[in-house]
Amino acid sequence: MLSPMVERLRPSPILAMAEQTRQAVQAGHSVIDLTLGEPDFPTPEHICVAAIEAIRAGHTHYTAVNGTVALREAIQRKFERDNNLRYGLDEINVGCGAKQIIYQAFAATLRPGDEVAVPIPYWSSYADMIGMFGGVVRPVPTSAENGFLAKPADLRRALNDKTRWVLFNSPSNPCGCAYSEAQLLELAEAVWSHPNQGIWVMADDIYEHILYDGRRHATIAQVEPRLRDRTLSVNGVSKAYAMTGWRVGYSGGPRELASAMTKIQMQINSHTSAISQAAAVAALDGPQAIVAERRELFQARRDRLIQRLESDTPLEVATPAGAFYLFPSCEPLLGRHTPDGQCLESDMDAAQYLLQAGVAMVPGSGFGAPGYLRMSYAASTEQLDAAVDRLAQAIQVLT
Ligand code: PLP
């Protein structure tokens, strides 16, 4: 018999769609995969070289559970340089991706019935992880008109004496919205002034460097220093440096929480690979120009994809501030019939139909936002152009 914790886990909609895509490709269909949540660029050469040098230098043994001193010092420098935040070495954790960091933070703090306030739409893993510890997602409503950004009044309404965390993910997966410093300050005030002073804030800043049109990234602990000791600032090298497979994520936060997270990690995987940690030092301390170059490429793809979708399809797309996803409403497709006579009744139906037409995307339901599709533009311009051609054709034949 499996544990109730496992019974509570739903299959990930992102992985389910990726699996269907894989099966379709295996069956010989041509599918352009826009489900992916990782940069399509290679890891920069100097980072790979640092990893090879680490192997040659014999850095192939166990490290400290919360990461090598060299990496935690590089993380200290990163937080100071980019976010004007100062953390002690014992306030920093390193895990197997930001995912492990987030998991451990919830594992260390949630009791059954505790609530986590999360603006909708949200990365589906949050809800699953929260549920594993008996926690409950308290959705903070947002609207497409407001760019999916939470308003302070809506956040305030979502907080109560059971709230343990408020979670901000800026720029966001799946919709790419990002909070300005002023907006974050207002949201921080809603948390700070709430009678429940046990509410902590998680800032998932994994897409920090993929932020467009000259915007400056803002994070809660920086804009509201009074919340610094109640905030876990989560980040990682996966998205900024195209290092998803190296599995390095990190956080800065209050010492007591950091040490509880370390205790948990000690019994899971001890630490992430020593070689990956050496590579992450090179990423954080090395030349940063490539991050800006890639950001510009993503922005050019974003603009081209939006322009092509708007000219060739009825999909309406808001311009996201960051990350590498578009999140169009599939409303123009709903209620219409496919050439086989099937009525498209939901985002799931729409995603299935468009997969058959050769473009894989994730239905918004997986992110708590039915009626939308998540389209990743971490793909080449040629692939994106071909995807729009296929979408246009498939939508045109709907009646
Ligand atoms: N947070 C968000 C919003 C994400 O989209 C992802 C990955 O897709 C992660 C965290 C985890 O990233 P990693 O575990 O690769 O550091």
Side-chain angles (χ1 to χ4, degrees), residues 97-99 102 123 126 169 173 204 206-207 238-239 247:
K99 195 176 233 178
I102 297 167
W123 184 43
Y126 298 142
N169 172 215
N173 173 8
D204 180 351
I206 193 88
Y207 293 97
S238 286
K239 316 284 177 177
R247 309 311 300 132

Side-chain angles (χ1 to χ4, degrees), residues 26-151:
Q26 217 164 30
H29 299 291
S30 157
V31 180
I32 300 170
D33 188 357
L34 304 185
T35 66
L36 299 179
E38 60 178 341
D40 53 318
F41 304 117
T43 302
E45 180 62 16
H46 70 277
I47 299 174
C48 298
V49 168
I52 293 164
E53 281 170 1
I55 297 174
R56 296 229 161 95
H59 298 312
T60 52
H61 299 275
Y62 289 137
T63 74
V65 174
N66 56 350
T68 60
V69 170
L71 178 52
R72 279 180 289 139
E73 284 177 350
I75 292 166
Q76 276 183 321
R77 286 188 286 275
K78 178 263 170 271
F79 273 128
E80 196 160 345
R81 175 180 73 225
D82 296 342
N83 315 108
N84 198 23
L85 288 171
R86 275 160 210 83
Y87 290 109
L89 287 181
D90 55 356
E91 293 180 308
I92 290 173
N93 286 76
V94 173
C96 248
K99 195 176 233 178
Q100 183 175 11
I101 294 287
I102 297 167
Y103 176 91
Q104 287 169 178
F106 290 141
T109 54
L110 290 181
R111 290 153 204 241
D114 280 354
E115 293 190 3
V116 181
V118 194
I120 308 175
Y122 50 75
W123 184 43
S124 50
S125 285
Y126 298 142
D128 288 312
M129 294 191 212
I130 292 164
M132 285 172 81
F133 306 106
V136 180
V137 170
R138 166 67 60 148
V140 181
T142 68
S143 65
E145 294 70 45
N146 197 40
F148 296 109
L149 294 169
K151 290 184 180 161

Side-chain angles (χ1 to χ4, degrees), residues 120-121 327 329-331 334 346-348 363-373:
I120 308 175
F327 201 59
S329 160
C330 55
E331 189 66 38
L334 301 186
S346 66
D347 53 325
M348 316 267 213
S365 300
F367 306 100
Y372 290 85
L373 295 168

Side-chain angles (χ1 to χ4, degrees), residues 199-218:
I199 300 175
W200 292 16
V201 180
M202 189 181 294
D204 180 351
D205 293 336
I206 193 88
Y207 293 97
E208 165 177 23
H209 292 294
I210 309 177
L211 186 60
Y212 308 123
D213 306 313
R215 288 181 175 82
R216 270 179 60 84
H217 176 73

